[in-house]
Amino acid sequence: MKRQITKDNLLELLLHGTEKDVRDTIDTIHPVDILDLIHEEPQHATAILNRLPDDILADIVEEEEDEDKYALLKQFSDTRQKHILEEMSSDEITDLIGELEEAEADEVLNKMDREDRDDVKKLLEFEPDTAGGIMKTEYIRIFAKNTVKDTLEFLQKNTDEETTYYLYVVDKENVLKGVVSLRDIVTSSFDTPMLSITNPNVISLRYDEDQEQVAHTFEKYGFILMPVVDEEHRMLGVIEFDDIMDVIQEENTEDIHHLGGVNSEERVDSTLKESFSSRIPWLIVNLFTAVLAAATVSMFEATISKVVALATIMPIVTGMGGNAGTQSLTIVVRGLSLGQLTKENAIKIKEIGVGILSGVVIGGIVAIGAMWMESNPVFGMVTGIAMFLNMILANFAGYFIPVILEKFHVDPALASGVFVTTVTDVMGFFLFLGLATMVLPMIL
C-alpha cells in the first residue's frame, strides 16, 4: 500500500526525483496540489514545471485562475505551449482567451490545430454567462443505430478522461435521443439495440440558458454532467459539475459585492485604480440619497430646535428601520437568486407580518426608553409609533423593491440596497419628526 505523499515529499520528488519516479507518482497527485506548491515555492516554480509532462501541465493551467492562466502558459516555449493547449479542454481554453486582449488571443489560437481552434471559436460565439459559454465540446457520442457490441468496441478504442458513467445517444444528425448508463451497457447482451436501453427522458440545457439557471438545474436534479443542445435539440456539448461549482461561486460573489455596492470584478488584490473605480459610483448615488434624507430633516428644523432630544432619538428610528429592511432584503434577494421566489409565493405578505411584530417589540422598547429619558409619555408614544411604522415600511420595502427590480430586469442585489435605505431614512425622519410636530405642545 502506497503512503500518502506529503507536501515536502512532493517538492523533493519534483525537484530531485528521477523521471520515472515523477511519472509514476504524478498521476496520483491532484493538479491543484501541484499548483499550490508552485504558488508557495515560487523560487522553484520553473524547475518544477519543466519536469512535468504536457498532460499534467495542461491540468495545472486549467486549475489556475482564469486571469492567471495565460501568465502560467507563457512560461513555456511556443512549441511546449502548443502541446499543452492540445491537452486542454475547449471550455478551459475559451476561459483563458476570454481574459486576453485581441492580439494575445490570436496568438493562442494560432498555436492550436485547426479542429481545436474551430471548436474554441464556436464557443467564443456564445455569451460567456450562458450554457453555451461554459460548456465543453469534448464528449463521447453513442449512435442510436448501434448495438451494445458496437458501443463496447467503440468505447474500448476511444475511452479516455472524457468517459463518464452516463453517455448520451444521438442519431446521424447529432440530435439527442437520450441517455444510457455504462451499467446498462455492460449488463446487456451484445445484440441489444442501443435505443432499447436508452432513456429518452433526458434533461438537457439550451445553449442560451443563463448560467445561474443552469446552476439551479444541476442543483435540482443532482447531476454531475448535463448535455447542451440547440433549438433543433442537436447536441452541442456538455457541462460538468466542476464548472457549475465555479458558476455558483461567481454568482454568490457577484451578489455579495452588489449588496455592498461594489463591482463584481473587484478582488482583494485589485489595484487602487480598480477598487476606486468599482466603489465610487455607488458612493455618489448614496450621497444623493443622504442629501434627500437631510432635506427631509431640514423641513423640521423649527421642531428640532425646540425639542433637542429629537435629534438624539431620530438616528435610532432610521437605523433600526435600515437594519430591518436589510434583513428582509437579504432573504428576498437570496430567494430570487436561488429561484425560491416564484409567481406562486411572491404575493405572500410574511415580511409585512414580520415588520408588524418587530415594530411592536422594538417600538415598545424604544417608547419606554424615550419616555424614561424625557419623563414624558407623549414623547415616548411618538417615538414608539414612528419606530413601529418605519419597521413595517422597512420590511415592505425590503420585500417589494427587489421583486419589482427583478421584474424590470434590473439586478436586485445591485440596486435594492440604495432604494431600501432611502425609504427607511426618509420615511423614518418624516414619520418621527412629523408626529413630533403634530403634538409639539405636548412634548415641550
Side-chain angles (χ1 to χ4, degrees), residues 22 133 216 296-297 299 396 419 438 440:
V22 172
H216 293 329
T296 304
V297 173
M299 295 167 55
F396 186 88
F419 290 114
M438 291 172 61
L440 185 59

Side-chain angles (χ1 to χ4, degrees), residues 90-91 123 126 130-137 207 228 236-239:
S90 57
D91 61 324
L123 289 178
F126 297 107
T130 63
I134 59 176
M135 72 179 181
K136 61 189 296 186
T137 56
Y207 71 92
V228 180
L236 301 174
V238 295
I239 297 177

Side-chain angles (χ1 to χ4, degrees), residues 213-233:
Q213 184 56 48
V214 172
H216 293 329
T217 304
F218 266 87
E219 181 184 24
K220 178 180 179 180
Y221 292 101
F223 293 147
I224 60 173
L225 185 76
M226 289 191 72
V228 180
V229 299
D230 63 11
E231 297 91 341
E232 306 298 327
H233 213 60

Side-chain angles (χ1 to χ4, degrees), residues 17 29 113 140 142 159 186 205 212 242 244 257 272 280 295 298 308 311 350-351 359 364 403 412 415 422 434 437:
I29 306 297
D113 62 48
I140 293 181
I142 303 299
T159 298
V186 299
L205 302 162
E212 193 169 4
D242 60 341
I244 293 304
H257 281 195
L272 174 62
I280 197 63
S298 68
V308 179
K350 180 196 73 173
E351 294 303 323
V403 171
T422 301
T437 301

Side-chain angles (χ1 to χ4, degrees), residues 300-317 366 369-376 379-380 382-383 429 432-433 436 440 443-444:
F300 300 96
E301 285 181 351
T303 302
I304 297 173
S305 66
K306 294 176 182 177
V307 185
V308 179
L310 293 172
T312 304
I313 299 297
M314 62 185 187
I316 300 176
V317 175
V366 171
M371 181 178 64
W372 174 79
M373 184 181 76
E374 288 296 301
S375 300
N376 187 326
F379 186 84
V382 167
T383 304
F429 288 136
F432 180 54
L433 297 176
L440 185 59
I443 61 177
L444 285 174

Side-chain angles (χ1 to χ4, degrees), residues 148-439:
V148 166
K149 180 180 180 181
D150 297 327
T151 300
L152 288 172
E153 290 176 348
F154 173 79
L155 290 176
Q156 287 172 352
K157 294 176 182 177
N158 294 277
T159 298
D160 56 18
E161 66 274 10
E162 308 302 335
T163 306
T164 61
Y165 184 70
Y166 289 101
L167 303 172
Y168 297 104
V169 180
V170 299
D171 63 15
K172 63 180 181 179
E173 301 297 332
N174 210 39
V175 174
L176 181 61
K177 308 304 290 186
V179 61
V180 63
S181 69
L182 285 175
R183 181 185 63 185
D184 288 337
I185 293 175
V186 299
T187 57
S188 300
S189 60
F190 284 172
D191 59 349
T192 303
M194 284 302 301
L195 278 181
S196 67
I197 59 172
T198 297
N199 178 5
N201 299 313
V202 58
I203 306 297
S204 60
L205 302 162
R206 270 265 302 226
Y207 71 92
D208 54 355
E209 197 167 333
D210 186 83
Q211 65 177 11
E212 193 169 4
Q213 184 56 48
V214 172
H216 293 329
T217 304
F218 266 87
E219 181 184 24
K220 178 180 179 180
Y221 292 101
F223 293 147
I224 60 173
L225 185 76
M226 289 191 72
V228 180
V229 299
D230 63 11
E231 297 91 341
E232 306 298 327
H233 213 60
R234 290 188 293 262
M235 194 162 173
L236 301 174
V238 295
I239 297 177
E240 296 179 327
F241 184 71
D242 60 341
D243 296 316
I244 293 304
M245 292 294 292
D246 294 337
V247 169
I248 292 173
Q249 183 182 43
E250 178 185 330
E251 294 290 341
N252 288 345
T253 299
E254 181 179 290
D255 287 345
I256 292 171
H257 281 195
H258 283 173
L259 281 170
V262 178
N263 190 296
S264 61
E265 299 300 321
E266 184 178 345
R267 296 293 182 267
V268 173
D269 57 354
S270 295
T271 65
L272 174 62
K273 180 181 178 181
E274 290 170 340
S275 294
F276 175 75
S277 301
S278 164
R279 303 180 194 185
I280 197 63
W282 282 105
L283 288 177
I284 293 174
V285 172
N286 284 330
L287 175 61
F288 282 106
T289 62
V291 169
L292 184 60
T296 304
V297 173
S298 68
M299 295 167 55
F300 300 96
E301 285 181 351
T303 302
I304 297 173
S305 66
K306 294 176 182 177
V307 185
V308 179
L310 293 172
T312 304
I313 299 297
M314 62 185 187
I316 300 176
V317 175
T318 57
M320 289 303 299
N323 290 337
T326 299
Q327 288 180 332
S328 177
L329 172 66
T330 301
I331 296 299
V332 174
V333 168
R334 190 60 180 154
L336 288 169
S337 176
L338 296 176
Q340 296 172 344
L341 202 63
T342 63
K343 293 180 179 178
E344 289 72 26
N345 62 21
I347 59 173
K348 292 182 179 179
I349 54 174
K350 180 196 73 173
E351 294 303 323
I352 297 177
V354 172
I356 292 173
L357 294 175
S358 300
V360 169
V361 174
I362 302 299
I365 294 172
V366 171
I368 293 171
M371 181 178 64
W372 174 79
M373 184 181 76
E374 288 296 301
S375 300
N376 187 326
V378 177
F379 186 84
M381 181 184 69
V382 167
T383 304
I385 293 174
M387 179 66 77
F388 172 73
L389 294 175
N390 202 33
M391 292 288 279
I392 296 175
L393 282 172
N395 281 270
F396 186 88
Y399 180 85
F400 283 102
I401 286 176
V403 171
I404 293 171
L405 290 174
E406 175 83 359
K407 184 176 180 62
F408 286 97
H409 307 292
V410 177
D411 187 348
L414 179 62
S416 296
V418 173
F419 290 114
V420 170
T421 301
T422 301
V423 169
T424 56
D425 284 354
V426 172
M427 294 306 299
F429 288 136
F430 182 79
L431 288 169
F432 180 54
L433 297 176
L435 288 171
T437 301
M438 291 172 61
V439 296

Side-chain angles (χ1 to χ4, degrees), residues 69-70 73-74 78 81-82 85-86 88 92-94 96-98 100-113 116-117 120:
K69 282 181 167 67
Y70 184 65
L73 186 66
K74 286 291 288 183
D78 288 349
Q81 288 181 44
K82 184 178 185 300
L85 288 167
E86 288 175 353
M88 290 178 64
E92 293 292 346
I93 297 176
T94 304
L96 183 158
I97 291 176
L100 303 180
E101 300 293 337
E102 185 176 352
E104 294 173 334
D106 290 339
E107 182 183 342
V108 172
L109 287 170
N110 289 335
K111 291 172 182 173
M112 302 171 63
D113 62 48
D116 291 341
R117 182 166 60 247
V120 170

